[in-house]
Amino acid sequence: MENFKLYCEIASHLITLLGVPVAIYAYLQEKSKERREREYGTYNALDDKYIEFLNLCLENSDLDIYHVAKKGDNEYTPDQKERETIIFEILISILERAFLMYRDQNSKVKREQWEGWNGYMEDWLKRENFQRAWEELGYQWEVNFENHMNEIHKKVKAAANNVQNDHPA
């Protein structure tokens, strides 16, 4: 009976010694899984908003609001100009959300997403019609986002001026 009691105590200690690291490992795995799910949830929520924007582009194909610019001059009616500005306001709101969700993040997924969205902001700010909308609407956003977009805007305008100065008409 003494031996049985000793074996039980040893087994109890072994289970504790092995169980604690296994429990810590399981806890860390669960936390990692939760973090990945949050990251993908963030991605999916923003992706859904962007898909809604693309649907607006389809529904308003008479406007130059898709990321591939239309060729030629676009003479718009007042209604078309208003719709374009409203749709660009929706896009700016999506860009703001991306800024708030991805900028200054530590995870690799979020850093990569930020690089893509930041490039997208730059591409949009190269478009004259988007620049006009930004200038009209650019003072109602989260201050850090607004500053970031204004920096990109200045950089894009300076680059355009340099190109024009290098190649006079």
Side-chain angles (χ1 to χ4, degrees):
M1 196 58 146
E2 270 312 300
N3 284 343
F4 180 71
K5 188 176 178 183
L6 180 65
Y7 289 133
C8 286
E9 283 183 35
I10 291 171
S12 171
H13 290 299
L14 281 174
I15 290 170
T16 302
L17 284 174
L18 295 175
V20 169
V22 168
I24 291 171
Y25 177 78
Y27 173 79
L28 294 174
Q29 287 293 86
E30 184 62 28
K31 287 296 178 187
S32 178
K33 179 182 172 188
E34 288 173 8
R35 181 184 46 77
R36 280 192 311 274
E37 287 174 358
R38 279 193 312 273
E39 286 176 350
Y40 289 120
T42 298
Y43 174 82
N44 286 335
L46 197 53
D47 193 45
D48 289 345
K49 294 298 179 191
Y50 182 70
I51 290 169
E52 289 175 21
F53 170 74
L54 291 177
N55 283 325
L56 283 173
C57 291
L58 276 172
E59 293 166 8
N60 295 278
S61 60
D62 58 319
L63 304 176
D64 188 17
I65 56 173
Y66 186 55
H67 74 271
V68 177
K70 287 186 174 188
K71 304 281 188 235
D73 289 334
N74 297 316
E75 292 297 321
Y76 289 148
T77 65
D79 176 65
Q80 288 173 311
K81 286 179 185 177
E82 182 180 33
R83 284 189 294 130
E84 181 184 72
T85 301
I86 291 168
I87 293 169
F88 279 149
E89 186 170 4
I90 292 168
L91 175 61
I92 293 168
S93 179
I94 293 168
L95 296 175
E96 179 184 37
R97 182 176 291 184
F99 176 88
L100 295 171
M101 291 176 149
Y102 293 126
R103 187 164 183 254
D104 297 328
Q105 295 296 317
N106 293 325
S107 83
K108 181 181 178 196
V109 171
K110 288 189 175 188
R111 278 193 315 270
E112 289 171 354
Q113 284 295 314
W114 169 243
E115 289 171 17
W117 281 101
N118 193 48
Y120 198 56
M121 291 171 192
E122 221 172 289
D123 290 344
W124 274 106
L125 280 163
K126 290 177 183 173
R127 301 264 308 267
E128 286 183 34
N129 60 343
F130 186 83
Q131 287 179 17
R132 277 192 307 275
W134 175 252
E135 289 165 2
E136 287 177 29
L137 303 168
Y139 302 101
Q140 59 184 344
W141 311 101
E142 192 273 337
V143 69
N144 294 311
F145 169 71
E146 194 175 303
N147 291 338
H148 183 72
M149 289 288 282
N150 285 332
E151 285 300 313
I152 295 172
H153 191 207
K154 287 177 198 171
K155 183 175 87 171
V156 165
K157 281 190 152 196
N161 288 336
N162 287 340
V163 169
Q164 287 176 351
N165 291 337
D166 290 344
H167 305 297

